[in-house]
Amino acid sequence: MRKVLLPSLIIIAASLLVMRIFFLQIIDDSFKLKSENNAIKVKYDYPERGYIYDRNGKLLVANQPSYDIMVIPREIKNLDTLEFCQLLNITKEDFIKKIEKAKVYSPRLPSVFLAQLNKAEFAAFQEKIRKFEGFYVQKRSLRDYEVDYGANIFGFITQVNERQIKKNPYYNSGDLIGRQGVEESYEEILRGIKGVKYIQKDKYNREIGSYKEGKYDTIAVQGEDINLSIDAELQKYGEQLMINKRGGIVAIEPKTGEILALVTAPSYDPGILVGRQRSKNYTLLYYDSIAKPLYDRGLLAEYPPGSPFKILTGLIGLQEGVIDEKTTFMCHHGFSYGRGRFMKCHGFGPHQLNNGIYNSCNTYFAQTYMLTINKYNNPGKAVDVWSDHVKSFGLGNFMGYDLPTGRRGNVPTSKTYKRIYPNGGWRSTTIVSNAIGQGEVLMTPIQLANMMATVANQGYYYTPHIIKKIEGKKIDEKYTTKHQTSIDKKYFPPVIQGLFDVYNYGTASSLRVDGINICGKTGTAENYAKIDGVRTKLKDHSIFVAFAPKENPKIAIAIMVENGGFGATIAGPIASLMIEQYLRKRITRTDLETRILNTSLKAQYAKLGGMEAGAGIESTPKDPKIEAKIKPVTTEPAPKKTTIDSTQQN
């Protein structure tokens, strides 16, 4: 039996191998299509990308035809190079460089020789294409932007690189792929499915018909349309208000987590990243170290949140039982907290929770914070308890929204202070600046907006997201999953009343909008930077957070204006205007609107830019045509690493 077993196994294995080879070579010829077969030509039919609409059905992004000249180096014969270059308005050196690049990719497979011809260029080339063997035209579709705003939301499309081709076999040389914004996040939905045709060729390289009568051909499937949660008119208005300013605006619908507006300033016209000048224009934007229009400040810029963070300090104090609504602290334009240290404050007299919020009393919230830390007789444990409460609002980590870029922000823990103070000795007075949104606390504008949405909902939030509807599909369930904070619901109403009174009696009383009950909080974070090695005081950042209406909140918003001064000076009016625009679709506070539209911080940024010039940082020279498309045109500097003072005004 054993003598028969081994030969039998060999015979069976050999038979299976022969059968498999027979199947692959005789019956199944699909592998021929995947090889570089000279007798079969592959033609792709590229679908249109899905259209992009806003939440109300307004068309934002459509498509327009584009034509790429493709080349198969091995098939180039008898080419009049001079005529070819003159027709396409390129130099002979460019021609040689492009051909060599195509050969490196593959001498037998097609690759892009010249991308994105317009209709006139295509027509001129098409007339003489018969004279240029080895070249053909591939039709594609490019984006056609129906609006000149929202560039940071949309992203753009560009040609795939070698790394992307190796990573994903769907793509070939010359294919387009979404980068940044929703074009990247929803690439697989928007791109559709390529169609393919296999063409049989004879020995003279002439096309003689479909291979196998079209057995393997497929048709193109257009990409799915999507509706964003963005309100197009609100987005447009926000970008107008931020002209000649630097910062971000994020507005969220509290009950759903849908992002209503995502403004970064400066921004640019998305249309300049379409067509043959796309690469040149992108390079100019990328290397513009003054305006930095590609830097999304709403998602990436990490700032000390300032006084809006006092909202959390109060809520945590209530939850931990170290204060109640009647707890009173005396303020004498600030307070001393040991070893000659003094925290300044513009308040005076007794403060409880309500007037502590609407007067933005540093003393009240610093005392509350120290009671919270001192409660456990162990500052390390206490800081971790405090940190966990803060993180339950979605802070200190990536938020999980559906855009490809973002930052964590920072919520310190005991590990933070063990690293800063390796020999110990730190206590509540050492880290008290956390209480008022300074110290080691950092937040992005979208985190601030989500914090206010959570307060508006009295303790829960949905992960912020920019998708509202995908044609024929459901959105990811993580955007409809409720997240509950560690703060009991009963502690939110008194804090919300304090935020409402900010508009009635407090730091935003001049920003009221008749008929709309707005709850808000001003913030003014002191701003220091080391310039040429010297710690220099810069103009404060203007911060404002709000939601409205108080009774049934429909919008929560955060505004950060760099070097904008007091919170009620620039950020506050922008909040009132954005809220009224969204809720009423018209503006009654035209006095605020006129003031903000006429406010320019170019002088502030120019001053800081002059300081940077001394540090040897220069801006790339701008193309005037591109500069005119940057909104707003500013002379602002590249961001500096900032050392923050532990005090603020309101």
Side-chain angles (χ1 to χ4, degrees):
M1 183 67 178
R2 292 181 179 177
K3 293 181 179 180
V4 177
L5 181 61
L6 182 60
S8 299
L9 290 175
I10 294 173
I11 292 171
I12 292 171
S15 299
L16 291 173
L17 182 61
V18 170
M19 291 171 62
R20 180 61 177 166
I21 293 172
F22 177 82
F23 175 77
L24 292 175
Q25 293 190 348
I26 306 300
I27 298 176
D28 182 11
D29 53 4
S30 63
F31 278 85
K32 294 180 182 179
L33 305 179
K34 299 179 181 179
S35 67
E36 295 183 356
N37 195 320
N38 290 334
I40 300 173
K41 181 178 181 180
V42 180
K43 285 187 175 181
Y44 290 104
D45 182 15
Y46 288 87
E48 283 195 349
R49 288 179 76 85
Y51 284 33
I52 300 176
Y53 299 85
D54 86 334
R55 67 186 295 108
N56 300 311
K58 177 181 174 64
L59 179 62
L60 303 175
V61 186
N63 298 299
Q64 57 181 309
S66 172
Y67 308 91
D68 292 351
I69 296 179
M70 309 294 291
V71 61
I72 305 174
R74 186 171 177 174
E75 296 182 6
I76 298 175
K77 297 177 182 177
N78 305 318
L79 180 67
D80 185 336
T81 306
L82 180 61
E83 180 183 12
F84 184 87
C85 291
Q86 287 178 341
L87 183 64
L88 294 177
N89 193 28
I90 62 174
T91 65
K92 186 175 180 180
E93 290 74 19
D94 286 338
F95 173 85
I96 295 172
K97 189 184 298 183
K98 291 176 183 294
I99 292 297
E100 291 303 316
K101 182 179 178 181
K103 288 179 179 178
V104 169
Y105 173 71
S106 173
R108 296 183 178 185
L109 295 177
S111 59
V112 175
F113 177 84
L114 194 63
Q116 301 181 6
L117 275 66
N118 59 35
K119 289 182 180 180
E121 292 168 331
F122 163 70
F125 183 78
Q126 187 73 3
E127 282 184 8
K128 299 186 177 182
I129 194 170
R130 67 187 185 281
K131 300 170 66 175
F132 308 132
E133 289 188 62
F135 294 88
Y136 69 94
V137 174
Q138 175 69 65
K139 183 179 179 181
R140 307 182 197 271
S141 65
L142 296 181
R143 282 313 205 184
D144 184 17
Y145 295 98
E146 307 300 307
V147 296
D148 63 356
Y149 49 85
N152 61 309
I153 296 170
F154 305 138
F156 54 91
I157 57 173
T158 185
Q159 286 187 23
V160 292
N161 54 39
E162 290 298 322
R163 179 179 55 81
Q164 291 165 327
I165 293 172
K166 290 178 181 178
K167 183 178 179 181
N168 191 335
Y170 174 87
Y171 298 102
N172 299 309
S173 177
D175 284 3
L176 300 175
I177 191 171
R179 275 197 61 196
Q180 299 181 12
V182 295
E183 295 283 16
E184 180 174 332
S185 296
Y186 292 96
E187 163 69 10
E188 293 187 9
I189 290 170
L190 290 169
R191 75 186 181 193
I193 302 174
K194 288 184 290 189
V196 62
K197 293 182 180 179
Y198 299 98
I199 309 298
Q200 185 79 43
K201 297 188 291 184
D202 63 16
K203 63 180 180 179
Y204 299 108
N205 204 37
R206 295 176 300 195
E207 296 181 7
I208 57 175
S210 297
Y211 177 69
K212 293 288 184 179
E213 298 182 346
K215 176 182 177 181
Y216 298 104
D217 293 353
T218 60
I219 61 173
V221 179
Q222 183 172 347
E224 302 288 349
D225 296 342
I226 64 175
N227 283 76
L228 303 182
S229 59
I230 293 294
D231 182 298
E233 293 305 312
L234 187 67
Q235 177 73 24
K236 179 181 180 181
Y237 189 56
E239 292 194 16
Q240 290 173 343
L241 294 174
M242 288 296 288
I243 288 176
N244 289 322
K245 305 168 190 70
R246 184 172 70 186
I249 302 174
V250 182
I252 295 174
E253 184 177 68
K255 292 295 189 290
T256 63
E258 294 176 358
I259 299 172
L260 302 173
L262 180 60
V263 175
T264 182
S267 187
Y268 62 94
D269 182 345
I272 66 175
L273 296 186
V274 177
R276 288 180 65 179
Q277 299 301 312
R278 188 206 68 81
S279 181
K280 174 187 174 184
N281 294 347
Y282 180 82
T283 300
L284 288 167
L285 293 173
Y286 183 84
Y287 287 104
D288 185 351
S289 61
I290 300 298
K292 286 195 172 291
L294 295 176
Y295 183 72
D296 193 330
R297 288 174 168 86
L299 302 178
L300 292 171
E302 297 170 299
Y303 305 95
S307 287
F309 195 77
K310 294 173 183 176
I311 299 168
L312 298 189
T313 301
L315 286 168
I316 294 169
L318 292 169
Q319 180 69 35
E320 288 296 312
V322 298
I323 61 167
D324 59 29
E325 295 177 51
K326 301 300 181 182
T327 301
T328 304
F329 298 109
M330 291 298 298
C331 178
H332 300 281
H333 301 301
F335 81 110
S336 299
Y337 55 101
R339 295 184 182 180
R341 288 178 290 184
F342 186 79
M343 178 176 284
K344 294 182 293 184
C345 183
H346 52 73
F348 186 81
H351 278 81
Q352 298 175 336
L353 179 65
N354 185 260
N355 67 339
I357 292 173
Y358 73 69
N359 283 332
S360 196
C361 179
N362 287 346
T363 298
Y364 180 87
F365 291 99
Q367 296 275 32
T368 298
Y369 180 78
M370 289 195 297
L371 287 175
T372 302
I373 300 301
N374 293 334
K375 173 183 175 181
Y376 291 89
N377 296 317
N378 181 332
K381 178 181 179 180
V383 164
D384 288 338
V385 169
W386 168 84
S387 179
D388 288 342
H389 283 309
V390 174
K391 289 177 178 177
S392 75
F393 285 75
L395 307 177
N397 211 332
F398 295 111
M399 301 195 68
Y401 48 72
D402 52 342
L403 287 166
T405 190
R407 293 280 174 81
R408 290 176 178 269
N410 188 57
V411 176
T413 65
S414 59
K415 291 181 180 179
T416 306
Y417 296 110
K418 287 176 183 177
R419 186 171 62 251
I420 296 174
Y421 304 101
N423 298 322
W426 62 276
R427 55 187 61 84
S428 63
T429 55
T430 312
I431 59 174
V432 68
S433 55
N434 288 334
I436 56 175
Q438 300 274 173
E440 285 68 48
V441 178
L442 294 174
M443 293 168 64
T444 61
I446 193 170
Q447 290 176 324
L448 271 171
N450 188 66
M451 180 190 81
M452 285 307 284
T454 308
V455 174
N457 291 335
Q458 300 189 34
Y460 71 88
Y461 70 91
Y462 292 96
T463 299
H465 53 283
I466 208 159
I467 194 70
K468 186 171 180 65
K469 184 176 74 173
I470 303 172
E471 194 67 34
K473 299 180 185 294
K474 289 185 177 180
I475 67 171
D476 194 317
E477 65 178 13
K478 75 176 182 178
Y479 302 127
T480 56
T481 301
K482 183 185 290 189
H483 302 277
Q484 199 76 39
T485 71
S486 59
I487 307 298
D488 294 341
K489 183 176 180 179
K490 64 182 179 181
Y491 295 122
F492 284 90
V495 171
I496 290 173
Q497 182 61 42
L499 296 174
F500 180 56
D501 287 339
V502 168
Y503 270 84
N504 291 323
Y505 316 113
T507 52
S509 58
S510 64
L511 306 178
R512 289 194 300 268
V513 179
D514 288 342
I516 301 178
N517 292 334
I518 305 176
C519 301
K521 184 73 191 73
T522 53
T524 308
E526 289 194 350
N527 177 23
Y528 286 85
K530 284 189 176 180
I531 301 176
D532 290 335
V534 179
R535 188 170 186 266
T536 306
K537 175 72 166 69
L538 307 178
K539 190 171 182 180
D540 299 332
H541 296 321
S542 180
I543 309 167
F544 201 92
V545 295
F547 64 84
K550 177 189 176 188
E551 299 76 14
N552 182 24
K554 293 181 171 58
I555 179 173
I557 193 165
I559 297 97
M560 164 66 78
V561 180
E562 295 181 12
N563 307 99
F566 293 120
T569 303
I570 298 180
I574 290 175
S576 293
L577 291 168
M578 290 286 285
I579 287 171
E580 184 175 25
Q581 171 65 30
Y582 181 67
L583 296 179
R584 287 181 172 164
K585 311 303 180 187
R586 60 185 177 86
I587 296 297
T588 60
R589 288 299 306 267
T590 54
D591 57 323
L592 294 180
E593 182 180 61
T594 300
R595 172 152 63 90
I596 294 302
L597 291 175
N598 290 333
T599 296
S600 171
L601 299 181
K602 290 174 67 175
Q604 286 290 327
Y605 304 140
K607 178 182 177 182
L608 186 55
M611 292 180 183
E612 282 209 335
I617 299 175
E618 297 179 356
S619 173
T620 303
K622 295 179 181 178
D623 183 323
K625 293 181 181 178
I626 302 305
E627 187 175 11
K629 293 288 186 177
I630 296 176
K631 307 176 303 172
V633 178
T634 72
T635 54
E636 47 186 291
K640 283 282 192 180
K641 290 185 178 179
T642 304
T643 305
I644 302 299
D645 191 275
S646 63
T647 61
Q648 64 192 27
Q649 297 305 312
N650 55 31

